[in-house]
Amino acid sequence: MSGVRRLGRRWRRQRPLRTRLAVAASAAVALVAVGVCTAAFFVIRYEMFHQLDLNLTQSATRVIQENRDAGPQVVAGECRYLSAPACAQIVPALPAEDPPRPYLLPVSAPVREVATGDRAPYFSNITLSGNPMRMLTTRLGDDKALQVALRSDSVEKGVRQAAGLLAVIGAAGVLLAAGLGYWVSRTGLAPVARLTATAERIASTRDPRHRIELPPGPPGREDEVTRLAASFNTMLGELEQSVTAQRRLVADASHELRTPLTALRTNAELLARADRLTDAQRDRAAGALARQLREVTGLVNDLIELARDEEPTPLLEEVRIAALAEHAVSAARAHWPATPFTLHIAPDAAETVRPGVPARLTRLLTNLLDNAAKFSPEGLPVEVELSSSRRSGSGSGSGSGSGSVERLALTVRDHGPGIRAADLPYVFDRFYRAETARALPGSGLGLAMARQIARAHGAELTAEQAQGGGAVFRLTFG
């Protein structure tokens, strides 16, 4: 048995899914067809013999009524004719009481037992003069048994004809099952074949823009294979967006790195001829080289940070946002001494915590504060505010109100030129710099990094024009 199972497993491994599905479907339908035909044969056979037994019972009842007081004898003896009435004989319990005329039907010990009442009436199949017969043995009065027999040629012929017809029907059912199995495997696996072809085409061309054509139909009523194809199309869309973003990042990075690298090479070549320079020229070139190295290092570090889509889970901890804001504002005051920073923390937000990576959240706040200070005129403040509010939700939140969720909002407002309406949709794009910012230092990655960190922490970062001038950046924790 284990060898048969191993052979079956080897066969399944060596056959494609379409063949296995066709064989399985064909076998299932064929098994049902053969089972139905077999059951129909036994039902037909039972009904035909049951009808013959009813005829024997009726004949026996009639003979009993007509010969209730008769002695042992042959009552009717036309057994060899198919259309004759049933042949019958009365048999005593004791062989000594048998009539001198020989019996036509075979008399055995069970017949004597029926006569004495030791055995119940029964049906049996016999052969008489080369003809098949069906015989009923029942009791007739005291110490006598009645045997009644009818030829069963027509019944057995009908059974054989039914068996042949059902065999033909079963064979046709098996052939139909094979055709249906092939059709089911071809139709059912068509989306899988398209999915496989699409995957192979993407693997060969490395182009994720290909999609699987889905069959038309009402939404929400797709089968499993169609849902698999739809999920694969969704995955391809995400892959295409990822590849496009990666290519755009590489292209933008190469473009942004070209200028500082060119300047680095120029200053390095200039310092290589230091013997021809004055001390002032040499110091100026060395300072420019150091400054450009810092810019390139910062740009490369920012690119590395942007290449990471999510925060490392082991570094997550409960972070008190108020303390983080105080630390970021204190660092900004030291870095931008000419720009005053104000911080207002609402009492109900002072102790609120959120899960996150402290270093990454600090980088987010630092980028927002640096961006605000860069655009704020000297002497005008950068206003930072942390507040909390409640909104309806499915959870209980961190407070005492059931059915509401506490939202934490941190806003950073500057009093600079603000953001033009045409620039608002692009302020968080990588390397995007508005016309008013192109003369200022920076790579255009700070706000893109800030939004990426916010999304990785389940927060939302938005930008808008401030009333009275300036820009407002709002970081909202759900």
Side-chain angles (χ1 to χ4, degrees):
M1 183 62 70
S2 60
V4 174
R5 284 198 296 266
R6 284 197 300 271
L7 184 61
R9 286 196 297 268
R10 189 181 305 113
W11 183 88
R12 288 193 296 270
R13 287 195 300 267
Q14 294 174 353
R15 295 297 182 275
L17 178 60
R18 176 176 295 178
T19 302
R20 285 181 281 160
L21 181 60
V23 171
S26 302
V29 178
L31 184 63
V32 171
V34 172
V36 169
C37 291
T38 303
F41 168 75
F42 283 107
V43 169
I44 292 174
R45 182 178 181 275
Y46 169 79
E47 289 297 333
M48 295 184 73
F49 275 99
H50 180 65
Q51 186 62 41
L52 182 61
D53 293 343
L54 288 178
N55 292 338
L56 284 172
T57 303
Q58 292 174 357
S59 298
T61 302
R62 185 173 60 254
V63 171
I64 291 173
Q65 291 175 351
E66 296 174 355
N67 302 275
R68 186 175 301 276
D69 298 328
Q73 60 177 312
V74 176
V75 178
E78 302 297 332
C79 299
R80 63 181 182 276
Y81 299 110
L82 187 62
S83 59
C87 58
Q89 62 186 22
I90 301 174
V91 181
L94 299 175
E97 299 177 0
D98 287 341
R101 181 182 176 184
Y103 294 117
L104 296 177
L105 301 176
V107 178
S108 59
V111 177
R112 308 287 184 180
E113 294 175 359
V114 172
T116 59
D118 296 333
R119 183 185 178 97
Y122 66 92
F123 293 94
S124 59
N125 297 317
I126 62 174
T127 301
L128 189 64
S129 301
N131 300 314
M133 303 192 73
R134 181 79 167 168
M135 184 175 66
L136 167 63
T137 302
T138 185
R139 194 176 186 193
L140 176 62
D142 296 332
D143 297 330
K144 289 183 292 183
L146 174 66
Q147 290 180 290
V148 182
L150 281 172
R151 286 183 59 175
S152 58
D153 306 46
S154 58
V155 174
E156 293 188 357
K157 182 179 179 181
V159 171
R160 287 193 299 271
Q161 290 176 344
L165 181 61
L166 290 174
V168 172
I169 294 176
V174 171
L175 294 177
L176 179 63
L180 288 176
Y182 176 76
W183 179 81
V184 167
S185 65
R186 186 177 181 84
T187 304
L189 293 179
V192 178
R194 292 195 296 269
L195 188 150
T196 303
T198 303
E200 291 174 349
R201 187 162 59 249
I202 292 173
S204 61
T205 62
R206 297 182 179 273
D207 185 2
R209 291 177 297 177
H210 299 288
R211 295 293 184 272
I212 300 174
E213 184 180 353
L214 300 178
R221 296 186 180 180
E222 303 89 351
D223 56 22
E224 290 78 1
V225 178
T226 304
R227 288 202 298 270
L228 174 62
S231 300
F232 190 74
N233 282 344
T234 303
M235 183 189 69
L236 288 178
E238 297 293 334
L239 178 61
E240 182 182 1
Q241 291 181 4
S242 176
V243 171
T244 302
Q246 182 183 28
R247 290 173 178 171
R248 186 170 60 247
L249 176 62
V250 172
D252 293 341
S254 61
H255 175 75
E256 292 294 327
L257 284 171
R258 186 178 295 114
T259 299
L261 288 177
T262 302
L264 277 174
R265 185 175 61 186
T266 301
N267 287 316
E269 291 175 351
L270 185 62
L271 287 175
R273 297 190 295 269
D275 53 336
R276 305 178 186 179
L277 303 177
T278 64
D279 292 342
Q281 291 174 332
R282 189 165 48 250
D283 293 341
R284 189 163 55 250
L289 183 63
R291 184 175 62 256
Q292 289 155 1
L293 280 173
R294 286 195 299 270
E295 291 179 1
V296 172
T297 302
L299 179 59
V300 171
N301 289 336
D302 289 346
L303 289 172
I304 293 174
E305 294 290 342
L306 282 172
R308 182 171 60 188
D309 288 335
E310 58 184 17
E311 304 305 324
T313 303
L315 300 181
L316 289 177
E317 58 182 89
E318 294 296 323
V319 180
R320 193 162 67 91
I321 305 300
L324 210 64
E326 292 173 352
H327 173 73
V329 169
S330 177
R333 286 170 179 159
H335 191 259
W336 303 89
T339 302
F341 290 84
T342 64
L343 175 63
H344 174 70
I345 300 176
D348 54 352
E351 300 299 327
T352 304
V353 296
R354 288 291 184 272
V357 181
R360 301 287 290 154
L361 290 174
T362 301
R363 182 63 182 274
L364 187 158
L365 298 180
T366 299
N367 286 1
L368 293 180
L369 295 175
D370 288 347
N371 182 76
K374 184 166 46 175
F375 288 97
S376 288
E378 187 174 347
L380 293 181
V382 172
E383 302 169 4
V384 183
E385 182 179 359
L386 181 65
S387 61
S388 66
S389 60
R390 290 194 175 276
R391 62 178 176 87
S392 298
S394 58
S396 60
S398 57
S400 60
S402 175
S404 63
V405 177
E406 186 175 9
R407 300 185 64 177
L408 197 64
L410 185 141
T411 58
V412 178
R413 187 222 168 136
D414 62 61
H415 292 270
I419 306 173
R420 297 188 311 168
D423 293 327
L424 269 176
Y426 309 105
V427 292
F428 295 107
D429 288 354
R430 297 168 179 174
F431 300 107
Y432 181 80
R433 304 183 75 185
E435 293 182 2
T436 56
R438 290 174 184 173
L440 299 175
S443 61
L445 294 176
L447 293 180
M449 188 183 306
R451 169 168 278 190
Q452 178 173 298
I453 297 172
R455 287 177 173 174
H457 286 80
E460 182 181 4
L461 180 60
T462 58
E464 60 188 56
Q465 283 280 20
Q467 294 182 357
V472 175
F473 288 86
R474 181 171 287 103
L475 177 66
T476 306
F477 294 90

